[in-house]
Amino acid sequence: MDVTRKTLAKILVVVFVANLVVMGAGALYSYQNAPPIPQEVVGPDGQTIATDERIQAGKATFQSNGLMNHGSILGNGAYFGVDFTADALDLKTQYMQEYYANERRGQSYRSLPDAQQAAIDSRVTNELDTDYDGGPVEYSAAELFAHRQIREEYVDRYANGARERGVPAGMIENPEDARRFADFALWTAWVSHTDRPGADYSYTNNWPYNPVAGNVPAGPTVVWSAVAMVLLIAGAGIGVWLYHSIELAEPEIGGIEIPDPREVDLLPSQRAATRYIPIAALLFVVQVLFGALLAHYYVERDGFFGLGDLLGIDILQWLPFAISKTYHLDLAILWVATLWIGAGLFLPGLLTGHEPDHQRTLVNVLLGALVVVVVGGFVGVWLGFKGVIGTDNPLWWILGNEGLEYVEVGRLWQFGLLLGFVLWTILLYRGFKPILERESRYGLAHMIIYAGGSIGLLFVAGVLYTPQTNMVMTEFWRWWVVHMWVEGSFEFFIVAVIGITLVSMGLLKKRSAEKAVMLQALFVMGSGVIGASHHYWWVGLPDVWIPFGSIFSTLELIPLILILFEALGQYRALATSDDSFAYRLPFMFIIASGAWNFLGAGVLGFFINLPMINYYEHGTYMTVAHAHAAMFGAFGFLALGMAVYMLRLTVDPDRWNERRLRWAFWLWNAGLAIMVLISLLPIGFLQLETAFTQGYDAARSLAFYNGDLVQLLFWARFPGDTLLILGTVVFAYDVIRKRFVLRETSTPDETPGGTIPDRILPEDDD
C-alpha cells in the first residue's frame, strides 16, 4: 500500500484539530465537574474546623515549600515521603478507629478482638463512604478528633522535623502553616472517599485503595482494563500490519555515497551552536550527582556516609530531598532541551548551506538568555525553599518556587523559557528558509518548524492556573505541559529530527523521510495527546477520562512499534556498514533511543497504564522505572546522539577520536539497564504487591522502604548509578577536549551550496 505525503498531511491536520476539540471540551467539562472546596468544615456542634481559605492557604504552603518533590498529592509528585492524600486518609481511619474503640470499649483498637474491630470498621466505612450535596461538610465526633490529631501529626513532622523520614526541621516554617497544609491534605482525602454526585464511587474513582474508607476499585476501572487488553492485541497487530503494508524506505548504507565530514562546510552559526554541548554536559554532570544523592537518601535518610558529621555540615538541612529532587528533575529537562536546541540550530545550515544575517549573534544571545533563566529560576527555587520568598510575599510563585513537579521554577522564569522557545523557532525558520520556500507545507523542514513551535505552544498551558486554582484543575493543566510534551510534541520532534538527520547523512531520500515522519507523527499525535488523560483517572477529574485514557494510551503502542521496527532497520543498516561509515557512533545513539523508547514508554508504559494495574501502582517505583527508561533512554540518548553528530562534523577530521564517546555510550546503557531492571523495577513489583495486600498507604510507608529486601534493592542501584556518573563524566571531559580541535568555519560567500545542500535542495516535492 502506498500513500502520498499530501494525504498523510491532510489526515494529520484533521487529527490535530480533533485532539484540540476533545481536550478543549474535556477542559470545560472538567471545570464543571471538579470536586468542590467547601466553604466550611464544621464539627458536631457547628463549630468551624476549616474553611476554603484555609484549604487554599494549605495548598500554597504545599507548593511554596516544595512538598510535591518530597512526597506526592493524589499520587503525583515524589515518592520519598508519603502520598499526602493516602496518608491523611489512612490516619483519618486510624484515629476514627481509636476514637470508637475508646468510646465503646475503653481500649485501644488493636487490643480488641476481630469481631469488635470489624464492627468499628463498618461504622467508619459508613461515615466516610457518603455523598455531598453542597453546603458545609459536617463532621462526626470521630472525624473531628481525627482531623485535630492529624494537624498535630503534621506539625511534628513538617514543622518540627522528622529526620527518620528525611524531613529537616522547619521544612514548613511555622506550626500554623503546617496545620493549614494538613487541612489541604485532608481535603484531598475527603475528595477521595466522598462519592461523586450520581455515582457510587468517589471523586477520585475510589483511589487510593483503602477498604476501611470504602475505597476499592470501581466498575469502570475493571471494565476498561479488559477493553485495554483487547486493544493491546489489536494495536500490536495494526502496528505490524502498517509497518509491512505501507511502503517506507529504510536507511541503507551499502552502495550509497555518504557525505564525508571533510566535504561538509561549517558555518559560523553552526560552530556557535556547538557551544550548547559543553553547557549541556555540565548540567548533565550536576544532574546525575543529584541523582546519586537522591538514591542514597532512600538508604540513609539523614546523612551521607557520615560525611556531613566529618565536615560539620548538616546535609539534610542544606540539601534536603525536596530541593535535590527539584534540581535533579529540572536539570534533566534542561540538559536534554539544551542539546535539542543546539541541534535545531545546527541542522538548518547543514541542509541549506545558508547563513542568515546575524544568525551567529542570535544563537549566542539565545544561549546567554538560557543561562540567565536557568540561574534565575534555580536561585528562586532555593530562596523559596528557604522561606526567603515565602507565601507572605505575594510574588512567591512569580519569583520563587512554584512547587509543582516539573514546573517548579517561578512563573517569571517560565515566561523566560517560553520566550526562549519562541526565539528558537524564529531562528529555525530563518535557517530553513531556503528549503521552506521550495517545499510544500508538509515538507521535512516544515515538520521541524511545526514540532518546535508545538513545544512552545503546549508550554502555554503552564500559565493557565495560579495558586488559587483548585488542585484538581491545576493537575489537569500541569499534565498538559508535562506529558503532552513527552507524548506529543517531543515525540513529534524526535521523529522529525531523526528523519532530517538520516537525510543529512545521505541514508534516506528527503521524500521518504517526509513520509515516514508524517506517518509516525500521525500516530504519535493521534494517540499521545488524548492518551495523556491516563493521568486524570485518580486526581479527582470526571470518570469520562477513564475510557479516553484507556483507549488512547493503548493506541500509543502503535507508533512505538513503528519506532522499534525503524530501530531494527537502522541496526541492519549499521550492521552492513564498514569502517568507512563516518557516522557509526551517532547512528548507534539513534538506535539505542528507539530501543529504550519501546522498552520504557512501550512495554513499561503500557503495563502501568492498564487502569486496574494503575489503580494500585499509581505513584510507585514502577513509574520511576518507566520514567527513567523513557526519559533518559529515549530522549536523552537521542539528544546525546545529536551532540555526537554535531561534534563529528565540527571537529577537525584529522584529530577525530571517538574512543571516549564509545566508552560513555556503553557505560550509560549498562548503567541504565542495571538501575531499571535490577533495582527500580523489582522495588515497583514489591510495592504493587504491598498496595494490593495491605493498602496503598502501606506501599508508600517508611516501614516498606526500610524493609530488608527493599533496602538491598536500593543498594543494588548504586552500581548502575556509578556507571551512569562515569559515562557522564567521560562525556563531559571529551566534549571539553574537543573544543580545542574544532575546524575553521567558512563564510556564507564561500559556501553557495555544499555537499549536503546540493543533494537536498534540487529535490522537488511531487
Side-chain angles (χ1 to χ4, degrees):
M1 178 175 64
D2 191 15
V3 291
T4 66
R5 291 166 293 168
K6 188 174 183 179
T7 299
L8 287 172
K10 289 180 178 179
I11 298 174
L12 185 58
V13 171
V14 171
V15 168
F16 179 73
V17 173
N19 279 332
L20 290 181
V21 171
V22 170
M23 296 307 291
L28 177 61
Y29 185 73
S30 296
Y31 268 109
Q32 294 170 343
N33 292 274
I37 302 176
Q39 289 188 339
E40 277 189 312
V41 177
V42 299
D45 59 357
Q47 75 270 36
T48 299
I49 307 303
T51 64
D52 55 348
E53 292 180 356
R54 280 186 64 92
I55 292 169
Q56 288 296 77
K59 176 177 180 281
T61 297
F62 166 74
Q63 290 183 224
S64 66
N65 290 281
L67 286 160
M68 198 173 194
N69 273 324
H70 175 83
S72 57
I73 200 82
L74 295 165
N76 294 326
Y79 308 149
F80 181 66
V82 299
D83 178 81
F84 301 114
T85 302
D87 180 61
L89 181 61
D90 191 65
L91 288 174
K92 187 173 183 177
T93 60
Q94 289 182 34
Y95 282 122
M96 290 176 70
Q97 288 168 331
E98 290 299 329
Y99 179 87
Y100 286 123
N102 184 65
E103 179 192 55
R104 292 182 175 186
R105 305 293 176 181
Q107 301 179 47
S108 70
Y109 174 80
R110 298 301 173 191
S111 66
L112 297 176
D114 291 346
Q116 293 177 5
Q117 286 186 357
I120 291 176
D121 290 350
S122 178
R123 179 163 184 178
V124 171
T125 302
N126 289 334
E127 285 190 11
L128 296 183
D129 191 13
T130 57
D131 300 324
Y132 174 70
D133 55 3
V137 171
E138 298 179 2
Y139 270 174
S140 67
E143 287 181 285
L144 174 60
F145 171 77
H147 193 113
R148 287 173 171 169
Q149 294 300 314
I150 294 169
R151 277 179 173 172
E152 298 314 306
E153 177 98 9
Y154 275 38
V155 170
D156 286 341
R157 284 189 203 171
Y158 304 111
N160 299 337
R163 298 185 72 87
E164 74 280 2
R165 293 179 175 272
V167 179
M171 187 173 191
I172 294 179
E173 191 170 355
N174 61 72
E176 190 55 31
D177 280 345
R179 293 185 183 98
R180 293 190 184 98
F181 169 54
D183 290 341
F184 169 62
L186 281 160
W187 171 75
T188 66
W190 175 80
V191 165
S192 75
H193 69 68
T194 301
D195 285 350
R196 184 180 290 277
D200 59 355
Y201 42 82
S202 73
Y203 285 99
T204 61
N205 296 303
N206 284 356
W207 187 91
Y209 178 55
N210 187 321
V212 177
N215 279 13
V216 294
T221 303
V222 179
V223 170
W224 287 104
S225 295
V227 172
M229 287 299 297
V230 173
L231 286 174
L232 167 65
I233 299 172
I238 292 171
V240 174
W241 173 76
L242 284 172
Y243 180 80
H244 286 287
S245 62
I246 297 179
E247 297 178 10
L248 295 175
E250 287 190 357
E252 185 179 346
I253 292 174
I256 295 179
E257 185 181 351
I258 297 170
D260 188 275
R262 300 172 189 275
E263 303 172 2
V264 178
D265 297 307
L266 182 64
L267 301 175
S269 64
Q270 290 179 298
R271 179 157 177 168
T274 64
R275 295 194 178 103
Y276 287 73
I277 301 176
I279 297 295
L282 175 62
L283 296 175
F284 193 9
V285 169
V286 178
Q287 188 246 336
V288 294
L289 292 176
F290 270 115
L293 177 60
L294 296 177
H296 182 77
Y297 267 135
Y298 278 94
V299 176
E300 187 183 11
R301 292 192 170 233
D302 62 348
F304 197 81
F305 298 117
L307 184 61
D309 294 336
L310 181 66
L311 299 176
I313 300 173
D314 189 343
I315 295 177
L316 177 62
Q317 203 68 35
W318 281 97
L319 274 179
F321 187 94
I323 292 180
S324 302
K325 172 79 176 337
T326 297
Y327 287 161
H328 177 69
L329 278 183
D330 290 352
L331 286 166
I333 295 170
L334 286 168
W335 74 256
V336 171
T338 300
L339 290 179
W340 283 6
I341 289 171
L345 298 172
F346 185 89
L347 288 172
L350 187 65
L351 272 68
T352 66
H354 173 60
E355 177 83 351
D357 293 339
H358 311 298
Q359 186 81 345
R360 176 184 177 182
T361 300
L362 291 173
V363 169
N364 289 327
V365 167
L366 181 58
L367 179 60
L370 176 66
V371 172
V372 169
V373 169
V374 170
V375 172
F378 276 35
V379 170
V381 165
W382 177 271
L383 295 177
F385 268 109
K386 292 302 178 181
V388 178
I389 308 179
T391 53
D392 55 336
N393 186 327
L395 299 179
W396 67 266
W397 61 284
I398 303 289
L399 301 176
N401 176 39
E402 190 168 0
L404 297 170
E405 190 185 29
Y406 291 104
V407 281
E408 290 90 351
V409 298
R411 189 63 57 86
L412 174 66
W413 312 110
Q414 292 181 30
F415 272 114
L417 289 172
L418 179 59
L419 291 176
F421 282 126
V422 172
L423 177 57
W424 178 52
T425 305
I426 292 172
L427 294 180
L428 288 179
Y429 175 81
R430 284 163 52 89
F432 278 122
K433 193 172 181 181
I435 297 180
L436 295 171
E437 291 175 345
R438 300 187 57 155
E439 69 177 14
S440 65
R441 288 174 292 179
Y442 47 82
L444 197 56
H446 280 80
M447 289 294 164
I448 292 286
I449 300 295
Y450 300 153
S454 67
I455 292 175
L457 180 63
L458 281 180
F459 196 75
V460 174
V463 304
L464 298 180
Y465 54 82
T466 71
Q468 288 71 46
T469 303
N470 185 310
M471 187 66 197
V472 171
M473 291 310 302
T474 297
E475 283 297 275
F476 178 88
W477 293 116
R478 186 178 73 88
W479 281 116
W480 273 53
V481 176
V482 176
H483 226 168
M484 284 195 197
W485 265 13
V486 174
E487 297 178 346
S489 295
F490 280 7
E491 289 275 10
F492 186 12
F493 189 77
I494 276 181
V495 297
V497 165
I498 290 176
I500 207 167
T501 302
L502 294 177
V503 169
S504 68
M505 289 181 182
L507 306 182
L508 273 183
K509 290 287 188 180
K510 183 168 175 283
R511 293 181 183 179
S512 299
E514 286 169 349
K515 187 181 293 187
V517 167
M518 280 189 287
L519 180 65
Q520 292 188 30
L522 172 62
F523 287 107
V524 165
M525 300 298 288
S527 61
V529 174
I530 300 176
S533 58
H534 61 251
H535 294 288
Y536 298 161
W537 293 343
W538 324 121
V539 299
L541 288 164
D543 58 356
V544 69
W545 292 116
I546 292 182
F548 274 115
S550 299
I551 292 171
F552 286 92
S553 288
T554 304
L555 293 178
E556 288 177 53
L557 186 67
I558 295 177
L560 294 173
I561 289 174
L562 295 178
I563 289 173
L564 176 64
F565 276 122
E566 184 179 83
L568 292 174
Q570 291 160 357
Y571 176 77
R572 286 193 295 269
L574 184 64
T576 60
S577 68
D578 53 32
D579 292 339
S580 64
F581 181 46
Y583 310 108
R584 189 179 185 88
L585 186 57
F587 210 56
M588 289 167 59
F589 277 93
I590 293 175
I591 295 170
S593 172
W596 279 108
N597 198 7
F598 180 76
L599 174 63
V603 177
L604 297 180
F606 173 78
F607 174 74
I608 67 173
N609 285 339
L610 277 172
M612 198 63 186
I613 298 294
N614 196 260
Y615 178 82
Y616 297 99
E617 179 280 331
H618 181 50
T620 68
Y621 255 63
M622 295 291 292
T623 301
V624 179
H626 153 71
H628 280 79
M631 180 66 184
F632 178 57
F635 302 123
F637 269 112
L638 177 63
L640 292 165
M642 294 308 303
V644 172
Y645 184 49
M646 292 165 65
L647 291 172
R648 186 67 182 91
L649 293 172
T650 54
V651 169
D652 183 350
D654 294 327
R655 305 183 69 177
W656 172 256
N657 187 318
E658 61 186 39
R659 180 172 55 86
R660 285 187 293 267
L661 292 174
R662 283 180 176 271
W663 270 103
F665 175 82
W666 290 113
L667 285 169
W668 282 324
N669 274 282
L672 185 59
I674 291 172
M675 177 199 294
V676 171
L677 302 177
I678 305 300
S679 177
L680 303 184
L681 205 53
I683 294 173
F685 280 119
L686 290 174
Q687 276 188 296
L688 187 61
E689 180 188 24
T690 303
F692 182 76
T693 57
Q694 301 177 40
Y696 181 80
D697 185 68
R700 290 286 303 274
S701 67
L702 195 59
F704 172 84
Y705 286 133
N706 286 340
D708 292 340
L709 179 56
V710 174
Q711 284 291 302
L712 178 63
L713 291 171
F714 281 142
W715 280 103
R717 173 177 173 171
F718 289 172
D721 284 355
T722 302
L723 293 178
L724 285 168
I725 293 171
L726 286 174
T728 307
V729 171
V730 169
F731 172 73
Y733 174 74
D734 190 71
V735 164
I736 293 172
R737 287 288 301 270
K738 284 180 167 52
R739 294 298 300 171
F740 297 97
V741 291
L742 296 181
R743 299 165 51 195
E744 294 298 322
T745 61
S746 303
T747 64
D749 291 340
E750 296 171 340
T751 58
T755 303
I756 295 177
D758 287 345
R759 297 178 183 181
I760 294 175
L761 290 176
E763 281 198 37
D764 294 326
D765 283 289
D766 284 310

